[in-house]
Amino acid sequence: MGVFQKLFKQTFIYGLSTVLPRVLGIVLVPLFTSVLGTERYGVYSSLMAYLILGNVLLSYGMETAFFRFITKDANRKKVIQGTALTTLLVTTLVFFGITYMFKGPLAALLDFKEIHLIYALGILALDALVVVPFAWFRVNEQPMRYAVIKIANVGVNLGLNLFFFLLLPRLIASSDLWSFVDFDDQIIYVFLANLVASGLTLVVLLPIYTKVRLQFDVQIWKSMMRYAVPVLIAGIAFSVNEAFDKILLKYLLPEDVADAEVGVYAACYKLGVFMTLFSTAFRLGIEPFFFNHATSGNAKQTYAIITKYFAILGSGIMLFVVVFIDLLKVLLLPNAVYWVALGIVPVILLANLCLGIYHNLSVWYKITDRTKFGAYISVIGALITLILNFILIPKYSYMGSAWATLAAYGTMMGLSWYFGRKFYYIPYDLKKILGYIGLSILLSSSSFYIFDRNYYYSIPMFVLFLVILYIGEKKEFIQLIKK
């Protein structure tokens, strides 16, 4: 199978396993925004932001180190797998034990209910215990098993949420048999559904623990940690960029409006999910490919082509979402109270496009073992996020958070390209990449901010973008399809 055929096949399957669960998850957005209300949805979103940081801390770069060392030293494959699995198992159990002992003070510090925090800690622990098993599927090129389990996880989560919020209230109202159920705090049921789904996923993946076997090699562990620590730092910085806007909104805005503002911001942020889906699916398929293809003679040219097509597709997705945002808002956010924050959507879409391009550009420091540069760049992005949020939130609320996100991801993208030229030059087609992105920005911004999403303007502009894309890429695209 050709290089691109294999890449697109795996990207499609990983993308399917990412897109379908997220699509199922999107069903929950109108449900949550209707049932929880803006304030409770804000509390839920704030706690989920902490979970993003917790997931990074508990995996501490071990997944990326796992990929790198498996491809470097295939002869010691079993020892590497066992060491990674043992390390994550021990640290996860220690983390859960300590945080559970101090759950009361921790809940007070973070300003959440103790019961909410307990559920969150359980979800974090269960998700950390499946990091290596899922990585095992990817490194052994078993995307279908990966996809089925991922989709089943979200299917269980979705089914339980539909039961708790649609069926359970009717059962409580119609029969005394359900009188023992306390339905006043609906947030509990959101986390309970997640906890059950994560627990069942771990049960399904337990055979991987038997297959890999727990073992520990000190030298391999030290080498993996030297590689993983910069990835961890980058991950922490990334989680700051991804989630701390919601956390800072909660603490920097007046207390009487903070949760509601977080709620409308987080809900409209979900309209950027299409770019996130595309970027995540692409990254899941591309990361093992980058490592496996690093020694081939045409690796740099291949990376350049992949990045160009990512930018093209991402630009098209951004324009599509902006053009049809009034349709999407009705489908995903039927409660009109959330529409007040729609202005963030074009900004967030562009920010996530920059982030996706950054992930493509980051190949240079991963395959040259210069992961410290990933940490440096991500820390700079995190500092930009924090500084701009502190400056902009008091004056511009969630709109300031959106622009801070764009500034951070845009800077990270630029820095990765700049340093990559020095240490691992890849001949990117900057003229076309920047041209398509610039055209998409121009058409998107004019459609949204100038013509107020008028279909008589925006749809022809979307068609114009496709025509220009066809003219510019017809020859290469046809050749690619033939291959």
Side-chain angles (χ1 to χ4, degrees):
M1 184 182 295
V3 170
F4 286 108
Q5 286 178 301
K6 184 176 181 180
L7 169 63
F8 287 134
K9 178 184 177 182
Q10 292 198 5
T11 299
F12 174 77
I13 297 174
Y14 284 124
L16 192 66
S17 68
T18 303
V19 171
L20 286 183
R22 297 289 181 91
V23 169
L24 293 174
I26 288 172
V27 175
L28 297 177
V29 175
L31 180 64
F32 289 166
T33 53
S34 299
V35 174
L36 299 180
T38 55
E39 291 190 6
R40 284 185 173 177
Y41 190 73
V43 172
Y44 160 73
S45 300
S46 299
L47 191 49
M48 290 302 294
Y50 279 109
L51 286 183
I52 292 175
L53 175 61
N55 283 326
V56 172
L57 291 174
L58 281 185
S59 60
Y60 49 86
M62 189 56 67
E63 182 181 25
T64 304
F66 180 87
F67 286 128
R68 182 56 175 159
F69 279 79
I70 287 291
T71 55
K72 282 180 67 176
D73 191 1
N75 294 327
R76 306 192 70 187
K77 189 174 182 178
K78 291 185 178 180
V79 179
I80 294 168
Q81 292 173 342
T83 300
L85 192 65
T86 303
T87 303
L88 278 175
L89 175 63
V90 171
T91 54
T92 299
L93 294 178
V94 170
F95 167 85
F96 182 78
I98 293 175
T99 53
Y100 187 82
M101 288 174 57
F102 296 98
K103 58 184 181 297
L106 190 58
L109 176 66
L110 299 178
D111 192 23
F112 290 111
K113 290 184 179 180
E114 186 174 307
I115 186 64
H116 296 166
L117 183 65
I118 292 173
Y119 278 114
L121 292 174
I123 293 167
L124 279 176
L126 291 171
D127 288 347
L129 293 176
V130 299
V131 167
V132 171
F134 274 125
W136 187 89
F137 286 136
R138 291 172 63 193
V139 81
N140 286 282
E141 298 186 353
Q142 297 184 22
M144 284 302 300
R145 295 184 66 183
Y146 177 100
V148 169
I149 297 173
K150 283 283 187 180
I151 293 171
N153 172 283
V154 180
V156 171
N157 197 341
L158 173 66
L160 288 174
N161 273 290
L162 293 177
F163 170 77
F164 288 141
F165 291 107
L166 296 183
L167 182 58
L168 185 58
R170 296 182 183 181
L171 294 174
I172 294 173
S174 63
S175 174
D176 292 336
L177 293 175
W178 296 87
S179 59
F180 66 93
V181 177
D182 180 11
F183 201 68
D184 291 334
D185 187 0
Q186 295 100 325
I187 298 178
I188 288 178
Y189 295 94
V190 178
F191 288 112
L192 178 59
N194 197 331
L195 185 70
V196 172
S198 296
L200 290 176
T201 300
L202 176 61
V203 171
V204 171
L205 291 174
L206 282 178
I208 301 297
Y209 276 77
T210 304
K211 187 174 296 187
V212 173
R213 295 184 182 180
L214 298 177
Q215 53 185 306
F216 190 77
D217 186 291
V218 175
Q219 291 304 119
I220 287 179
W221 178 80
K222 288 181 179 179
S223 298
M224 292 182 77
M225 288 305 298
R226 280 195 294 269
Y227 186 91
V229 167
V231 178
L232 168 62
I233 296 172
I236 293 172
F238 171 75
S239 68
V240 170
N241 293 328
E242 179 71 14
F244 264 59
D245 49 358
K246 302 168 188 67
I247 294 172
L248 292 176
L249 279 168
K250 178 179 175 67
Y251 298 118
L252 294 178
L253 291 175
E255 186 175 349
D256 57 331
V257 299
D259 286 334
E261 292 283 276
V262 174
V264 297
Y265 174 69
C268 285
Y269 201 104
K270 291 288 186 181
L271 290 173
V273 71
F274 300 98
M275 186 67 72
T276 306
L277 290 176
F278 168 63
S279 179
T280 303
F282 203 90
R283 181 176 59 83
L284 286 172
I286 209 72
E287 190 171 44
F289 173 83
F290 277 160
F291 288 122
N292 293 331
H293 198 64
T295 57
S296 68
N298 63 338
K300 293 183 178 181
Q301 288 74 20
T302 302
Y303 298 155
I305 294 172
I306 290 170
T307 301
K308 184 183 77 168
Y309 280 107
F310 177 89
I312 289 173
L313 293 172
S315 298
I317 291 171
M318 179 171 67
L319 181 57
F320 175 85
V321 174
V322 172
V323 166
F324 295 102
I325 192 171
D326 284 323
L327 175 61
L328 295 172
K329 75 180 183 183
V330 175
L331 294 175
L332 298 183
L333 301 173
N335 190 343
V337 70
Y338 291 91
W339 298 351
V340 66
L342 279 178
I344 70 166
V345 176
V347 181
I348 294 301
L349 285 168
L350 180 57
N352 285 328
L353 175 58
C354 291
L355 177 62
I357 295 174
Y358 164 75
H359 283 308
N360 278 270
L361 297 176
S362 66
V363 60
W364 71 267
Y365 66 72
K366 290 181 178 178
I367 65 174
T368 61
D369 293 344
R370 290 186 172 93
T371 52
K372 63 181 181 181
F373 279 92
Y376 298 154
I377 294 170
S378 296
V379 167
I380 292 172
L383 290 174
I384 292 173
T385 294
L386 293 174
I387 292 171
L388 289 183
N389 270 290
F390 273 107
I391 294 174
L392 298 177
I393 284 176
K395 189 172 182 179
Y396 301 105
S397 186
Y398 48 73
M399 202 67 206
S401 292
W403 283 106
T405 302
L406 175 57
Y409 290 156
T411 301
M412 290 167 60
M413 177 184 67
L415 288 174
S416 186
W417 170 78
Y418 174 79
F419 288 114
R421 292 178 66 200
K422 293 187 173 183
F423 296 103
Y424 189 81
Y425 179 78
I426 297 174
Y428 296 113
D429 190 346
L430 292 181
K431 183 178 179 180
K432 285 192 173 182
I433 291 174
L434 295 177
Y436 289 124
I437 294 175
L439 179 62
S440 180
I441 292 173
L442 175 64
L443 298 178
S444 298
S445 57
S446 60
S447 171
F448 191 93
Y449 297 109
I450 298 176
F451 293 94
D452 196 27
R453 290 104 69 187
N454 187 314
Y455 284 152
Y456 290 108
Y457 167 83
S458 56
I459 292 180
M461 290 302 100
F462 181 67
V463 174
L464 174 63
F465 179 84
L466 295 179
V467 170
I468 293 174
L469 177 61
Y470 176 77
I471 294 173
E473 301 301 319
K474 176 182 177 181
K475 183 178 179 181
E476 290 187 17
F477 186 71
I478 290 175
Q479 290 177 347
L480 190 61
I481 293 297
K482 287 181 178 179
K483 291 180 181 179

